[in-house]
Amino acid sequence: MTTPADLPSAADLPGAAQLPSAAELAAFTLAAQHPATHRWTDPATRLRHLTEDHEFDLQLATDLDLAAQRAEFLNAGPPAPAYLNVWQAVGPDLHALLSIRFEGLDVTKPFVDVSVTSRPVTRADLPALADAARVYAAFHPPRLRFWSAAPMTDWTDLEPDRRVLAAPIHTLRGHPVPDGLTLIPTTTTERYADAQAAYDAVDADHPHHPEQARLLSAEDLQECIDAGTMFDVHWRGAWAGYAGTLAHPQLGLDTQVVQELLLNPQARGQGLGAALSTLLARHLPDPAQVLSGTIHGCNRGALNAATRAGRQDVGGWWWAPLR
């Protein structure tokens, strides 16, 4: 096992002195966001949230002890310094903070994440980004993930990852809701098995669904219950699913982030999905916050439901091949 004593100092790492500050990374990230979102949260607050996020990115770029912990835990092969984030020159006017990630912490599924770029990514940047990703060649990653606020129609030749669908809560409350559809605060996890059965039923009908969405964990369900932002969906008097959020920043916005929007088989196929966002907006306490959540770019049903509710696609992540 590699120990911290075996590692070089952070000052000896290539490019360490050139790393931007967390505040500078936050400014880069804010500049890459969808124009509509700039009206939703005070810019100073948003920069503060983003700066806090990027402090951990910088720790992953400089903390050799943490790199050694990752190397020991993941045991993917390369030595500890290979796990550090890297601030890489991509072209004359573009730098990127790159990191090595693993889907579901599965070491057989490595990818290079473009965590931050000094300006928004364009199609012309992809070959140079792929070249820059060679810094992680020891992991043999087959693809790279990057963020773009551009619409999905701009990148139709690439595989989408998750999209962010969001809108200010106060703008969502006025949409119509079918009679007989209500939300009631969740008090226990007793319906968790029913929720899992509902997911299993969708998975059986749609083989790719498990790659796009999973039921939140029982622990996360309890956290939402404790926060007072998890609700049982009732349709015509019977339990029909879950709808819930947790309050934490997303893309620097002051958000209630969707943790679950679920309808059981008896309630599916009746056009109720959009109304879940509307009902959530009516039940959440602060209308000045943003209701936000990620939906896989191939999950057309969920994307359409969120859009019908008034949530806007403000960007998402894309996969680009590396080999």
Side-chain angles (χ1 to χ4, degrees):
M1 180 184 75
T2 303
T3 66
D6 300 322
L7 301 174
S9 71
D12 295 330
L13 298 173
Q18 290 76 44
L19 275 170
S21 67
E24 289 170 325
L25 292 177
F28 293 148
T29 299
L30 184 60
Q33 300 309 308
H34 194 286
T37 67
H38 295 307
R39 305 188 298 269
W40 295 349
T41 294
D42 172 69
T45 300
R46 197 171 183 187
L47 281 170
R48 185 176 72 252
H49 290 324
L50 291 170
T51 298
E52 292 169 356
D53 290 343
H54 290 315
E55 285 171 353
F56 185 62
D57 287 324
L58 290 182
Q59 184 182 3
L60 288 172
T62 58
D63 189 331
L64 289 163
D65 290 349
L66 182 56
Q69 293 170 29
R70 292 187 72 203
E72 181 178 8
F73 175 76
L74 291 163
N75 194 28
Y83 290 81
L84 290 168
N85 288 2
V86 177
W87 180 247
Q88 190 87 339
V90 177
D93 67 336
L94 180 64
H95 280 69
L97 186 66
L98 306 178
S99 60
I100 188 66
R101 303 282 183 87
F102 303 87
E103 295 178 60
L105 297 180
D106 184 341
V107 296
T108 68
K109 297 179 179 180
F111 67 94
V112 176
D113 193 50
V114 183
S115 303
V116 188
T117 52
S118 57
R119 61 162 173 75
V121 174
T122 69
R123 182 174 298 278
D125 298 322
L126 295 184
L129 279 170
D131 286 342
R134 291 176 182 169
V135 68
Y136 295 114
F139 295 94
H140 307 291
R143 55 185 185 168
L144 169 149
R145 187 179 69 172
F146 67 95
W147 164 268
S148 175
M152 290 188 70
T153 51
D154 283 15
W155 302 89
T156 54
D157 57 322
L158 296 181
E159 179 187 353
D161 189 27
R162 306 189 75 80
R163 309 294 298 177
V164 178
L165 279 289
I169 288 172
H170 69 87
T171 68
L172 301 175
R173 291 179 166 180
H175 289 258
V177 173
D179 292 338
L181 186 68
T182 59
L183 298 187
I184 298 174
T186 306
T187 57
T188 74
T189 61
E190 63 184 357
R191 289 286 190 173
Y192 189 77
D194 296 326
Q196 185 60 66
Y199 263 84
D200 293 343
V202 177
D203 293 347
D205 291 337
H206 303 280
H208 294 293
H209 186 256
E211 303 167 9
Q212 300 170 4
R214 297 184 181 88
L215 179 64
L216 83 170
S217 69
E219 293 77 14
D220 289 342
L221 174 61
Q222 186 62 57
E223 184 178 2
C224 294
I225 292 171
D226 294 342
T229 50
M230 179 58 69
F231 303 89
D232 290 324
V233 180
H234 281 238
W235 171 236
R236 295 175 176 170
W239 186 88
Y242 284 133
T245 66
L246 279 177
H248 62 80
Q250 187 173 62
L251 304 181
L253 297 165
D254 182 13
T255 48
Q256 288 280 347
V257 180
V258 173
Q259 303 299 301
E260 192 61 71
L261 288 178
L262 167 67
L263 289 169
N264 66 13
Q266 292 73 29
R268 292 178 62 84
Q270 302 186 60
L272 304 180
L276 295 184
S277 289
T278 303
L279 286 171
L280 264 180
R282 294 179 183 179
H283 282 75
L284 292 171
D286 186 353
Q289 288 184 303
V290 173
L291 180 66
S292 181
T294 58
I295 301 172
H296 196 280
C298 293
N299 191 341
R300 296 299 178 184
L303 289 171
N304 290 337
T307 301
R308 293 198 313 273
R311 290 164 60 189
Q312 183 172 347
D313 185 329
V314 297
W317 293 267
W318 292 95
W319 297 108
L322 291 178
R323 59 187 184 196

